[in-house]
Amino acid sequence: MTADRTATGQASRSLLLDRNFTTFWAGQAMSQFGAQLGQLAFPVLAVSMLQASEFEVGVLNAAGLAAFLILGLPAGAWVDRWLKRPTMIQADLTRMAAMAAVPLLWWGGMLEIWHLYVIAAIVGTATVFFDVSYQSYVPVLVAPGQVNQANSKLEGTAQVARIGGPAVGGLLLAVVTAPVLFVGEAVGYLLSAAFLARTRDREVAAARGDRRPLRVEIKEGLAFVIRHPLISRIAACTAAMNFFGMVIFTMMPVLILRNLGFGPQGMGLVMAVGAAGGLLGAVAAPRVAARVGEGTVIPLCAVASSVFLVPLPLAAMASEPGVSLALLLLSELCFGFVVLIYNIMQLSMRQRVCPPRLLGRMNASIRFIVWGVMPLAALASGFLAEHLGLIAVIWIGTAGSFLAAAPVVFSPLRGMRTLPSQVEGA
């Protein structure tokens, strides 16, 4: 009973009164806004300015995600050995330097598509270490009863950035060139590093004497994910969803910028509307979970996300530009809403049931599984688009996404009102 009261008291205290969390939160908000400028600038630069083919777009996406496949597992073991805040600072500074190279190469008249491959790979590598540290840092920074609240605030702010970043970027591209947006992204990473430097926590590095061979530590984190009856199913579902989703979304810039001719402003609008749906999902997640059930909402959102992908191939086939745009916006809004609820609930569950000493390796194992498939999907998307056509690839991704929901639909999550606690999971 005492433990329950303590957890309730922790959860009821507002994180707005926690200076360390608000400092961390502010830095991540600025980083997310800058990153969204880059999310728009990369495809516009590649498709509209460097005239990249469908396969080259696939290679560019694969380069940015390859590190999750190659370094995903050892990164978790390393992060569990290191202090997480300095690791995130170093990753931010690396990403800042890589992004700053794009406008320099452009203004020097030297930028080619292979430069983007290299820069995307460097940024992706740094992001692996940042993301694993970031997901493992929240339970270090806040009390156990505040983890859900912290994740909701961080995801909500990320979605605000995903609305404002593409919208502002689309407007800026009316008066500046795409490489200029990379300056904004570099500044965002610099500010993130500065705010992280001002954040304080009580994390203590793991004792060197407690370390075991890297292979053993990696195996322990991966085994926890595979053997856990809920996390294993979520990992399988998310990996399949990411694979088929990446098959679709790799070709979205080609569809919007080239086939439909909506330009950077149209692409920015589609991205912003999708992020608006995500913001609504982040805000609604606790209420939807309370009403539907914390476990039930996960398979429900997995199925709904597949349903809301169907308008995308229909938009590619529509003869009227207005109809195509309306279908794109509808799909992005609804897809963003349900995916954010899914992400918040499954992330909170993972953080709650995983022993603290395994957090880095658990998150890295999850990232390896669910993100490691994405570079393969990006390459497959580019290859298939050049041989089967753009619309066929989008239909393939949409059909496959329905199969992706099976691991959580046919699982104990269906009908589960309350997700397990850390004590039960450990």
Side-chain angles (χ1 to χ4, degrees):
M1 182 65 71
T2 301
D4 291 340
R5 288 175 178 173
T6 301
T8 302
Q10 291 170 341
S12 65
R13 289 196 297 269
S14 174
L15 285 172
L16 297 176
L17 302 178
D18 186 333
R19 188 191 70 84
N20 281 317
F21 176 76
T22 55
T23 302
F24 174 71
W25 189 15
Q28 295 318 298
M30 296 176 188
S31 173
Q32 288 285 347
F33 185 85
Q36 292 311 306
L37 294 178
Q39 288 292 317
L40 178 62
F42 253 118
V44 170
L45 182 59
V47 175
S48 299
M49 302 184 72
L50 297 179
Q51 302 302 312
S53 68
E54 285 86 349
F55 184 70
E56 287 173 331
V57 172
V59 173
L60 178 59
N61 277 271
L65 296 165
F68 288 94
L69 179 62
I70 298 169
L71 296 174
L73 288 177
W78 286 325
V79 166
D80 276 341
R81 294 178 177 183
W82 303 337
L83 292 174
K84 295 170 183 61
R85 186 168 62 90
T87 302
M88 289 189 285
I89 293 172
Q90 185 59 54
D92 272 333
L93 294 177
T94 300
R95 294 189 292 186
M96 177 203 70
M99 287 300 176
V102 175
L104 294 177
L105 288 168
W106 174 263
W107 291 327
M110 297 181 289
L111 186 65
E112 298 180 18
I113 190 67
W114 71 267
H115 291 123
L116 294 187
Y117 298 160
V118 174
I119 290 167
I122 293 171
V123 172
T125 300
T127 298
V128 168
F129 289 98
F130 185 93
D131 283 0
V132 172
S133 302
Y134 175 85
Q135 290 194 347
S136 305
Y137 189 62
V138 171
V140 172
L141 188 64
V142 305
Q146 295 175 313
V147 168
N148 280 3
Q149 183 187 161
N151 283 332
S152 183
K153 291 183 185 299
L154 290 166
E155 282 296 334
T157 306
Q159 291 307 310
V160 171
R162 289 175 186 135
I163 297 170
V168 171
L171 293 174
L172 286 174
L173 285 174
V175 293
V176 300
T177 56
V180 176
L181 297 188
F182 286 90
V183 176
E185 184 165 8
V187 170
Y189 290 135
L190 177 61
L191 291 173
S192 173
F195 276 81
L196 278 167
R198 292 174 56 84
T199 303
R200 296 292 176 265
D201 58 64
R202 294 181 294 276
E203 184 182 16
V204 178
R208 288 184 175 272
D210 295 337
R211 295 179 181 177
R212 291 164 295 163
L214 188 64
R215 178 182 59 81
V216 174
E217 294 192 349
I218 290 172
K219 183 179 178 181
E220 187 177 12
L222 191 59
F224 177 83
V225 171
I226 294 173
R227 292 173 183 170
H228 195 283
L230 298 181
I231 292 180
S232 59
R233 290 179 176 272
I234 285 175
C237 172
T238 308
M241 288 172 62
N242 282 356
F243 182 89
F244 291 109
M246 182 55 61
V247 168
I248 296 172
F249 292 114
T250 295
M251 289 298 109
M252 286 292 284
V254 179
L255 173 66
I256 295 171
L257 296 171
R258 187 174 295 164
N259 289 46
L260 298 178
F262 290 142
Q265 291 73 32
M267 178 128 183
L269 175 63
V270 170
M271 292 173 65
V273 168
L279 175 61
L280 295 174
V283 173
R287 295 176 184 174
V288 174
R291 180 176 293 273
V292 176
E294 290 182 342
T296 303
V297 77
I298 292 175
L300 179 64
C301 287
V303 173
S305 67
S306 301
V307 172
F308 293 131
L309 286 175
V310 174
L312 292 179
L314 298 179
M317 297 169 63
S319 57
E320 293 292 331
V323 174
S324 294
L325 183 59
L327 289 170
L328 287 174
L329 297 179
L330 173 66
S331 175
E332 289 291 313
L333 179 70
C334 298
F335 182 82
F337 179 83
V338 296
V339 164
L340 255 291
I341 296 176
Y342 174 93
N343 282 341
I344 288 173
M345 295 312 301
Q346 62 90 12
L347 173 59
S348 296
M349 187 207 70
R350 288 193 278 123
Q351 290 173 335
R352 282 160 56 179
V353 305
C354 182
R357 68 182 184 86
L358 281 174
L359 275 170
R361 281 168 284 170
M362 180 275 292
N363 284 322
S365 297
I366 290 285
R367 285 284 172 140
F368 170 76
I369 294 168
V370 307
W371 284 64
V373 299
M374 294 171 73
L376 305 178
L379 289 174
S381 180
F383 177 82
L384 292 173
E386 289 203 346
H387 290 81
L388 301 179
L390 191 68
I391 295 176
V393 167
I394 297 176
W395 273 118
I396 291 170
T398 302
S401 68
F402 282 93
L403 298 176
V408 292
V409 170
F410 302 103
S411 79
L413 288 165
R414 198 180 68 221
M416 185 181 290
R417 292 295 308 174
T418 304
L419 290 170
S421 68
Q422 181 177 330
V423 174
E424 294 167 327

